[in-house]
Amino acid sequence: MKITEFLIIDLDARDLVDLKTSERHALSLAELEVLKCLVNHVGEVVSKEQLNIAGWPGRIVAPSSLTQCMSSLRKKLISQTDIELKNIPRYGYSLCIVDENNANAEDKSVEPASEKQQAYTNNIDNKLTDRRATVNYRNRFTWAASVVMMGLIITLHFTGGLKKAVNYLSLLTEPQVAAITTHNLEFAHTSSLVNKVFLDSQLNEASQKTNSLDQLIANWFNYESVLPASSEKQLFTYDNGYYESVALCNDFESTCSDKQPLNLVRTADAPLAPLDIQWLADTKLRMEQVTYNKILLDQFESDDKGIVEDVYRADVYYYSDTKNVVRADVRLSMIFDANNRGKLVAAACITDDMLREISIRYQFSGDFKLNKSVVDGKVVKTFLVDVDEYSFTSPQEVSKESATIYREIRKNVLQNEQMVIRQVYQDEDSGVWMLPLWGETMVWAHREQVSL
């Protein structure tokens, strides 16, 4: 997409490219859409509302989001002397492009350039005048609207609706899935597809990192009998800056036929430790012989026998350079009251060799609202859960390894009245979730449907 003769937007790479110097600046998804909107209306005043719709479609964001976006764009355009991003107070922004050829020939043709600038200035003034007239017209109703709003707030406060409304609006400002990049990886003599998930709050920083998954898998060994080369594989991975999680379906052909996908978590900045996959499989088998998670989720009470309950089950393993593997036995269950709302229960039981008898357990439940979006061709479901009940059981002593998840649960789950849970993939038999375990952890879970 061309901006000037020597400045373009590489839409595929999501880069701002200076053709003179070959310099590239990565653009976030919001920066890309806002800049495209300004380029499509070059020389015009674009309102803040229009730019918010372009940069964050279908979302409610804080006013500072657009301000920060414009500040970032100005920094990336600072070397472009022929481009200026103008702030039009109380209204919006305008992308101005200076014709350098006319500027260099100013002594020869001062009058035409002056007339052009005057026409542009008059255009801005006229739009501002129209905007001020609109604002003045609206101000006539400010007092009446304030009274109505105050009455509504008081009513919502005493009925409990205000808290729910504030909670829901705060959830809408949470970071969304901004990109799901894919690349092929040769693993176990099989071409595997890797899906890496990015949130919009981390896209610029994370997209500049080298993909460490190739290096991570390079440290796996002794996996031939556990991950046979005859089956196709697909992986989802997410790095939240503290923990890196990998969800692997060992048998994927249009859908995941693997009844026990492999879900692994490690500390992101820790040295890459060799991992014996056969040893891990034997450890998994030993740990999974006991079902520590005694919480029964598949028992929603309902008089409507036509309701179907979705139940997801998975085991997630945290490993480090020690031999003390931490297991999270995860259950997720939900029923839909309508297409975009329902009830959800999530539970996890955490054990390791020290916690073999007494485990860490937590559960939360509540009503959810569902938002759907399409990111890089994949349907992403965001469940906004208003938590109305939770429970937590902690042992008297925890190991160094299990303490990592113990802290995360207390910090990110037990202190929140609202939770955001995302699903980035689903088929008839499985689903890939970002669950609140070690921060947000990628989990490939087996799916069952139960008729109530």
Side-chain angles (χ1 to χ4, degrees):
M1 184 177 188
K2 184 177 180 181
I3 302 178
T4 66
E5 182 179 359
F6 298 106
L7 185 66
I8 65 169
I9 303 174
D10 186 338
L11 297 177
D12 293 331
R14 207 179 287 169
D15 284 347
L16 186 65
V17 183
D18 188 327
L19 298 179
K20 283 184 177 180
T21 63
S22 298
E23 184 179 11
R24 285 177 172 265
H25 293 286
L27 298 171
S28 69
L29 188 60
E31 290 171 352
L32 173 67
E33 296 302 327
V34 167
L35 184 57
K36 284 168 55 180
C37 183
L38 290 168
V39 172
N40 289 332
H41 298 84
V42 65
E44 302 177 11
V45 180
V46 185
S47 69
K48 294 180 181 179
E49 292 83 359
Q50 189 174 351
L51 292 174
N52 279 328
I53 292 173
W56 299 270
R59 294 177 52 194
I60 300 175
V61 297
S64 60
S65 297
L66 180 59
T67 304
Q68 293 171 1
C69 177
M70 300 305 295
S71 176
S72 178
L73 286 175
R74 284 193 178 98
K75 291 178 182 178
K76 295 171 182 180
L77 290 168
I78 194 169
S79 62
Q80 307 298 318
T81 57
D82 56 340
I83 294 180
E84 183 181 0
L85 274 178
K86 289 190 175 182
N87 178 20
I88 311 301
R90 299 188 303 277
Y91 185 64
Y93 294 87
S94 178
L95 179 68
C96 306
I97 300 178
V98 178
D99 189 340
E100 290 187 334
N101 292 329
N102 285 344
N104 293 334
E106 184 177 359
D107 292 339
K108 298 180 180 179
S109 55
V110 173
E111 189 63 29
S114 177
E115 290 177 357
K116 182 177 180 179
Q117 183 61 36
Q118 185 63 44
Y120 175 77
T121 303
N122 291 339
N123 183 41
I124 295 293
D125 289 341
N126 290 337
K127 291 189 176 184
L128 286 176
T129 300
D130 293 341
R131 179 61 177 175
R132 292 190 188 100
T134 302
V135 170
N136 290 334
Y137 177 77
R138 290 176 179 173
N139 285 342
R140 298 175 186 178
F141 302 95
T142 299
W143 184 84
S146 299
V147 172
V148 173
M149 183 61 67
M150 185 60 67
L152 178 61
I153 290 174
I154 293 173
T155 302
L156 288 173
H157 174 71
F158 285 105
T159 60
L162 179 60
K163 181 179 179 181
K164 289 186 177 180
V166 171
N167 290 343
Y168 182 67
L169 290 175
S170 67
L171 286 173
L172 292 178
T173 63
E174 289 289 320
Q176 301 295 312
V177 174
I180 304 177
T181 63
T182 60
H183 74 274
N184 290 321
L185 172 66
E186 190 70 21
F187 171 54
H189 308 292
T190 306
S191 180
S192 307
L193 184 64
V194 178
N195 304 272
K196 187 162 186 178
V197 178
F198 297 96
L199 300 186
D200 55 16
S201 60
Q202 62 169 183
L203 186 58
N204 276 345
E205 177 183 354
S207 62
Q208 294 171 4
K209 292 183 179 179
T210 57
N211 192 332
S212 63
L213 182 63
D214 299 38
Q215 302 171 12
L216 178 66
I217 292 181
N219 283 270
W220 296 359
F221 67 97
N222 197 18
Y223 51 72
E224 288 76 10
S225 60
V226 181
L227 305 173
S230 59
S231 59
E232 295 185 14
K233 297 166 179 57
Q234 188 159 161
L235 303 90
F236 279 81
T237 180
Y238 176 68
D239 184 348
N240 61 23
Y242 302 98
Y243 300 99
E244 181 178 17
S245 54
V246 178
L248 185 154
C249 175
N250 187 45
D251 188 4
F252 190 92
E253 187 175 354
S254 70
T255 61
C256 180
S257 302
D258 190 351
K259 300 301 182 184
Q260 290 186 316
L262 181 62
N263 299 298
L264 296 178
V265 185
R266 63 177 293 272
T267 302
D269 59 357
L272 287 173
L275 179 61
D276 186 336
I277 298 296
Q278 182 62 63
W279 168 82
L280 177 64
D282 295 339
T283 303
K284 279 168 47 39
L285 182 62
R286 171 175 60 81
M287 298 183 75
E288 292 171 10
Q289 286 176 348
V290 180
T291 302
Y292 296 95
N293 194 344
K294 300 297 184 182
I295 304 170
L296 299 177
L297 301 182
D298 318 337
Q299 294 188 1
F300 277 113
E301 295 181 1
S302 174
D303 295 330
D304 189 347
K305 299 301 181 182
I307 289 181
V308 175
E309 178 184 5
D310 267 337
V311 182
Y312 293 86
R313 307 173 187 270
D315 288 290
V316 187
Y317 290 87
Y318 171 85
Y319 73 98
S320 60
D321 55 354
T322 73
K323 290 295 184 180
N324 188 23
V325 174
V326 181
R327 173 199 181 198
D329 179 7
V330 180
R331 302 290 186 266
L332 185 66
S333 184
M334 65 190 70
I335 58 172
F336 283 83
D337 298 330
N339 289 334
N340 64 343
R341 59 183 175 84
K343 297 178 177 62
L344 178 145
V345 181
C349 181
I350 293 90
T351 54
D352 61 12
D353 281 341
M354 179 179 290
L355 303 171
R356 192 177 301 179
E357 300 297 331
I358 303 175
S359 59
I360 301 171
R361 299 178 184 177
Y362 83 90
Q363 175 176 319
F364 65 87
S365 61
D367 295 333
F368 70 79
K369 293 182 176 65
L370 172 61
N371 291 338
K372 293 183 181 180
S373 60
V374 177
V375 179
D376 293 328
K378 293 181 173 60
V379 177
V380 175
K381 299 178 182 178
T382 302
F383 293 80
L384 311 175
V385 186
D386 194 1
V387 178
D388 55 25
E389 184 178 354
Y390 72 83
S391 61
F392 179 73
T393 303
S394 61
Q396 294 181 347
E397 184 179 1
V398 295
S399 65
K400 174 184 175 182
E401 293 79 13
S402 60
T404 61
I405 190 171
Y406 180 83
R407 289 191 296 267
E408 290 295 328
I409 292 172
R410 293 195 63 86
K411 179 176 63 176
N412 296 325
V413 178
L414 301 183
Q415 296 181 2
N416 293 333
E417 294 182 344
Q418 303 81 37
M419 297 296 298
V420 177
I421 299 178
R422 302 176 180 88
Q423 186 191 67
V424 296
Y425 171 81
Q426 178 182 303
D427 58 39
E428 290 295 324
D429 301 317
S430 72
V432 180
W433 295 83
M434 300 177 74
L435 298 181
L437 295 168
W438 287 267
E440 289 192 275
T441 300
M442 196 67 66
V443 178
W444 205 318
H446 178 65
R447 180 192 185 203
E448 296 178 1
Q449 290 186 307
V450 180
S451 297
L452 301 180

